[in-house]
Amino acid sequence: MVEHAQYLAYLAGEWQASQSQETITIQSPWQSEPVGDIQAVTQDEIDTSIAAAQDAQKPWAALSLGERGQYLNQWADNLAANKQALAEIEMAEVGKNLKDAEKEVDRTVDLIRYTVQEALHMHGESVRGDGFPGGSKDKLGIIERVPLGVVLAISPFNYPVNLSASKIAPALMAGNAVICKPATQGAVSGIKLIEALADTGLPKGLLSLITGHGSVIGDYLIEHPGINMISFTGSTQTGQRLSQKSIMIPLVLELGGKDPAIVCADADLDTTVSNIVSGAFSYSGQRCTAVKRVLVDDKIADELVAKLKPAVNALTVGSPDANNTVVPLISDKAADFVQNLIDDALAKGATLVTGNKRQGNLLAPTLLDNVTEDMDVAWIEPFGPVLPIMRVPSTDEAIRIANKSKFGLQASVFAQELDEALKIAGGVEAGTVQVNGRPERGPDNFPFLGVKASGMGTQGVHNSILSMSREKLTVINLKSVKQGG
Ligand SMILES: NC(=O)C1=CN([C@@H]2O[C@H](COP(=O)(O)OP(=O)(O)OC[C@H]3O[C@@H](n4cnc5c(N)ncnc54)[C@H](OP(=O)(O)O)[C@@H]3O)[C@@H](O)[C@H]2O)C=CC1
Ligand SMILES: O=C(O)[C@H](O)COP(=O)(O)O
């Protein structure tokens, strides 16, 4: 049991109680005890934090990459040393099972170290004017990457450690200051993540952690003139609001998904089943990249369903401390939302293959067959353990239904005939198509992006560094270029 403690906010380089004198109690989604109380930070404190970030940014950017990297490597070491405690807090706070929470800390440590190495190895380029008609070789353009200023990092509840660090680390390596706003349910994990960074002796003010409800302080943060770039991961609804309200600054948005698994008639069903089941149900489907619908060729649909059913029934269901795969959802509201999708589908004639049992916010993994386009579960992202199966007469029909969704995060194609798999992959509108594998963000050196309502801009370590910096061109007008130069 994690001790219920009062947590301070990290504002302008100091751990402080907010002047608001208001705290928010974080209730565990599965334990009866609260996880802790966090500060409800005020607009004045946001102003002070952003001003401190602006002051600290230029001296930080003046440090060498190696000097900046030392702080980050120390951060990674601190996290590795505190792995157990951090994983236990995350498990208590967002209900991720202990093994997966530990993996998230390991992945974060690797990501931070990799980000340092990546930044050390990135470089600019140069260009001569004579590449353009009439241009002169005497013009030498030096293209460097420079920081943007103050980056606002907003993260969701489901990866409170990794999806905060995967914004903070590239922002800092690119020479920016950071304002981090974690999800409220996830803020205690975020505080522990930042403690490990603050303990490196990071320059005062370079980073602040603003806690408080997004509905209260979110708009103030995103409209703040001191913010120069926003990296956001969360729901499409919040992402769209953010893109409407932010003013002429670069945005990277990683949003919701409805990732289809397209199963062709020649698919290797064992590979397909294990990928679909882990893809759909790990962490109870609370992953943006979860498999959220299956589009299966009629010819093998019965066989696929017959194999999926026992695999789903074999999933372990219960509390996260016993390392169950299917765990209580983040809130009762989230469970009601999923239940409504199941009820709607069953009322409209879907076949219940297994599941549809509930104890509070713990839902049994649920498999629905014969789902049709009039059912909400065909289109809406549940962020919970329900998987709809839609039977299709052809791959063209699978592609049509895949693309009818407003989302376009990832998709999977299961087929043994590679030419056919690639043809389908080419036709599906998604940031990434996985052939014979489940959708997933990692490994973190891969680009990660969504199209349509799933986002804009690209993450992944290299692309995050690019998105948090810009090109700066210095043109040297030479007197004359030496012969052969
Ligand atoms: N594509 C991707 O990479 C990923 C996408 N997601 C998506 O995120 C959703 C689940 O995460 P969830 O945390 O519920 O998402 P939300 O959109 O509810 O919240 C995400 C973050 O935005 C904050 N926020 C809320 N309102 C505002 C506002 N007006 N201005 C600025 N920030 C605001 C939240 O704070 P607070 O908690 O205080 O409300 C939280 O920090 C799913 O749709 C999922 O698909 C999740 C992970 C990865
Ligand atoms: O929040 C999410 O769901 C992630 O961005 C996806 O990460 P994963 O594919 O590594 O679970």
Side-chain angles (χ1 to χ4, degrees):
M1 181 79 65
V2 170
E3 192 191 338
H4 179 185
Q6 293 277 335
Y7 291 95
L8 301 174
Y10 188 61
L11 307 174
E14 302 287 349
W15 291 100
Q16 302 175 23
S18 172
Q19 295 152 357
S20 70
Q21 298 185 335
E22 276 176 37
T23 55
I24 300 165
T25 299
I26 308 297
Q27 188 64 50
S28 169
W30 60 282
Q31 290 171 316
S32 48
E33 295 296 308
V35 183
D37 295 334
I38 58 160
Q39 305 297 314
V41 168
T42 65
Q43 293 187 354
D44 278 354
E45 288 163 333
I46 291 173
D47 290 344
T48 312
S49 299
I50 293 177
Q54 287 172 321
D55 288 347
Q57 187 264 324
K58 286 205 167 50
W60 172 253
L63 295 181
S64 70
L65 279 167
E67 287 168 320
R68 298 207 287 268
Q70 274 178 10
Y71 288 98
L72 273 85
N73 282 329
Q74 182 62 53
W75 181 25
D77 292 348
N78 292 350
L79 288 173
N82 287 314
K83 168 174 153 178
Q84 207 53 37
L86 182 51
E88 280 174 21
I89 282 191
E90 183 175 336
M91 176 178 70
E93 188 176 25
V94 302
K96 188 169 283 190
N97 78 38
L98 189 59
K99 211 162 71 197
D100 286 350
E102 286 168 353
K103 269 198 229 155
E104 184 175 335
V105 179
D106 287 339
R107 177 181 184 178
T108 305
V109 168
D110 290 341
L111 181 137
I112 294 168
R113 291 192 179 129
Y114 186 93
T115 304
V116 172
Q117 286 305 313
E118 185 68 12
L120 288 172
H121 292 94
M122 283 169 77
H123 52 79
E125 53 182 317
S126 65
V127 59
R128 292 272 189 179
D130 61 339
F132 194 81
S136 163
K137 223 176 187 180
D138 291 348
K139 276 194 184 294
L140 171 62
I142 300 171
I143 304 159
E144 293 177 286
R145 294 207 75 86
V146 296
L148 297 175
V150 180
V151 168
L152 172 61
I154 306 181
S155 47
F157 79 83
N158 65 337
Y159 279 87
V161 171
N162 186 267
L163 282 173
S164 300
S166 63
K167 300 175 190 320
I168 297 169
L172 290 177
M173 281 313 289
N176 300 285
V178 180
I179 301 293
C180 178
K181 153 74 186 96
T184 296
Q185 189 87 37
V188 176
S189 309
I191 288 166
K192 290 288 164 193
L193 176 79
I194 297 306
E195 265 177 23
L197 180 52
D199 286 350
T200 65
L202 198 71
K204 219 175 152 100
L206 186 67
L207 175 127
S208 287
L209 180 75
I210 306 290
T211 49
H213 288 300
S215 54
V216 177
I217 53 169
D219 288 357
Y220 191 75
L221 274 168
I222 61 190
E223 292 176 336
H224 200 289
I227 295 295
N228 305 110
M229 187 269 170
I230 304 177
S231 176
F232 172 85
T233 303
S235 65
T236 294
Q237 198 187 6
T238 313
Q240 282 174 343
R241 180 185 180 91
L242 197 151
S243 69
Q244 281 159 0
K245 290 195 164 273
S246 64
I247 305 158
M248 264 190 79
I249 54 169
L251 299 179
V252 171
L253 305 176
E254 297 293 354
L255 311 175
K258 188 70 184 168
D259 295 1
I262 296 176
V263 186
C264 298
D266 71 335
D268 171 336
L269 287 189
D270 290 335
T271 304
T272 306
V273 165
S274 68
N275 276 280
I276 287 179
V277 171
S278 76
F281 296 107
S282 57
Y283 189 33
S284 294
Q286 297 175 113
R287 293 167 55 240
C288 60
T289 49
V291 174
K292 291 176 183 146
R293 49 195 172 133
V294 173
L295 305 175
V296 56
D297 191 306
D298 275 333
K299 293 188 272 306
I300 50 148
D302 286 343
E303 203 186 338
L304 179 74
V305 173
K307 281 180 180 272
L308 280 172
K309 183 176 177 179
V312 173
N313 285 337
L315 290 168
T316 55
V317 181
S319 77
D321 56 350
N323 277 325
N324 288 298
T325 303
V326 177
V327 288
L329 293 185
I330 196 68
S331 64
D332 289 340
K333 198 169 143 211
D336 290 345
F337 185 77
V338 179
Q339 187 66 57
N340 284 339
L341 291 175
I342 296 171
D343 293 347
D344 172 77
L346 293 176
K348 289 176 180 160
T351 310
L352 178 67
V353 180
T354 187
N356 195 23
K357 294 190 189 102
R358 178 173 177 182
Q359 267 182 297
N361 59 342
L362 179 62
L363 299 185
T366 299
L367 197 55
L368 298 172
D369 194 5
N370 298 306
V371 168
T372 49
E373 292 183 54
D374 58 327
M375 300 174 190
D376 289 345
V377 77
W379 310 112
I380 293 176
E381 176 185 45
F383 233 57
V386 56
L387 182 62
I389 298 171
M390 301 175 82
R391 296 172 174 235
V392 291
S394 66
T395 51
D396 283 350
E397 186 61 357
I399 294 170
R400 182 191 69 78
I401 296 175
N403 291 345
K404 193 175 163 189
S405 166
K406 67 175 182 174
F407 294 110
L409 189 58
Q410 294 206 354
S412 293
V413 180
F414 294 95
Q416 296 200 54
E417 175 52 56
L418 196 55
D419 284 9
E420 179 65 5
L422 291 181
K423 203 173 102 197
I424 297 168
V428 172
E429 294 159 2
T432 303
V433 182
Q434 306 265 355
V435 175
N436 294 324
R438 67 177 209 170
E440 58 193 3
R441 174 164 50 111
D444 293 322
N445 60 334
F446 282 11
F448 180 60
L449 68 157
V451 297
K452 305 200 285 185
S454 290
M456 71 189 203
T458 306
Q459 291 198 101
V461 172
H462 182 82
N463 287 286
S464 293
I465 296 172
L466 289 181
S467 72
M468 292 169 173
S469 56
R470 67 174 171 85
E471 289 178 318
K472 179 161 186 185
L473 173 68
T474 307
V475 181
I476 302 175
N477 290 280
L478 298 161
K479 285 212 181 79
S480 70
V481 178
K482 273 197 244 124
Q483 202 68 26

